[in-house]
Every structure is written in structure tokens, then in C-alpha cells.
């Protein structure tokens, strides 16, 4: 139901924009989140945006990443600027989804998209 895209290889200091689209029998998305998992490390939370548009960021990305949502298209984006080699990871989108009958399904995961930042 969640499809992430936009990953790739970029030099340090560069930018990438990740997107995640929800599809299927979806009424709307409540909260969207981005997580990442670097090689050999545990998955970590990166940013989230709630239904009112309020955002939160992990300290390592604060001021460099921006999360935004488009409720008409049922998508979320993560604009990543001033990328560092330590941002290299597989990035996953995550969402709490209202499906048919307005039933809330929490913690739905996309398949991940790889971001590689070279020094």
C-alpha cells in the first residue's frame, strides 16, 4: 500500500527528495513518518507529520530535512538538503491509514529506498 521512491547516489552537500505514495482501499492517512536504517545499525525515526501538518524531526536531520504531505494525492515527501555521508541508509515511509469503513490501521511500512551519500 505504500511505495517509496526517490533514492539514489549523491555527493555530500547535495540534495534528494524522497516520496511515498499510498494506494489501495484508502480513505486518508493520519500520520506519516520516515525512518532510516544505516548498514549495521538499527532502524531510526527521522521525521513525522500529523494530520494537522505539525512536524517533528530527529536532531541529526533538523534544519536539513523537510517533511511535507499532500492529502489530495495521499503522498508524503522528504526533502533532504546538505546531505552528509552519515545520512546513507535505506529510508522507509510509515503511515497510519484510514481504510474502508474509516478503520484505522497503524504502522504500515513501505518497501524502502536506498540513499547513498558519497564524501
Amino acid at each position: 500500500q505504500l511505495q517509496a521512491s526517490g533514492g539514489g547516489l549523491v555527493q555530500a552537500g547535495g540534495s534528494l527528495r524522497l516520496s511515498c505514495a499510498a494506494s489501495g482501499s484508502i480513505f486518508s492517512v493520519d500520520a506519516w513518518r520516515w525512518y532510516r536504517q544505516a548498514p549495521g545499525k538499527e532502524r531510526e525515526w527521522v521525521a513525522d507529520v500529523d494530520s494537522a501538518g505539525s512536524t517533528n524531526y530527529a536532531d541529526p536531520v533538523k534544519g536539513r530535512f523537510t517533511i511535507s504531505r499532500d492529502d489530495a494525492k495521499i503522498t508524503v515527501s522528504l526533502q533532504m538538503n546538505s546531505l552528509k555521508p552519515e545520512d546513507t541508509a535505506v529510508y522507509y515511509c510509515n503511515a497510519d491509514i484510514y481504510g474502508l469503513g474509516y478503520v484505522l490501521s497503524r504502522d504500515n511500512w513501505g518497501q524502502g529506498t536506498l540513499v547513498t551519500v558519497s564524501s
Side-chain angles (χ1 to χ4, degrees), residues 1-5 19-23 93 109-111:
Q1 284 184 315
L2 298 178
Q3 182 72 36
S5 61
S19 296
C20 181
S23 62
C93 57
W109 291 91
Q111 86 288 1

Side-chain angles (χ1 to χ4, degrees), residues 14-32:
S15 298
L16 278 177
R17 186 177 181 88
L18 306 183
S19 296
C20 181
S23 62
S25 301
I26 294 172
F27 183 81
S28 64
V29 172
D30 187 13
W32 288 98

Side-chain angles (χ1 to χ4, degrees), residues 52-99:
S54 296
T55 58
N56 296 285
Y57 298 93
D59 285 343
V61 308
K62 202 170 292 185
R64 299 187 297 121
F65 290 11
T66 302
I67 187 171
S68 60
R69 60 188 292 161
D70 185 330
D71 291 336
K73 297 180 179 179
I74 319 182
T75 60
V76 67
S77 296
L78 186 69
Q79 178 65 43
M80 306 185 295
N81 299 328
S82 303
L83 283 162
K84 305 175 181 180
E86 51 264 44
D87 294 318
T88 295
V90 177
Y91 284 72
Y92 298 89
C93 57
N94 174 285
D96 297 338
I97 298 172
Y98 283 103

Side-chain angles (χ1 to χ4, degrees), residues 25-43:
S25 301
I26 294 172
F27 183 81
S28 64
V29 172
D30 187 13
W32 288 98
R33 307 169 192 90
W34 285 98
Y35 288 80
R36 67 185 182 184
Q37 187 166 18
K41 295 188 176 181
E42 293 189 351
R43 191 172 299 187

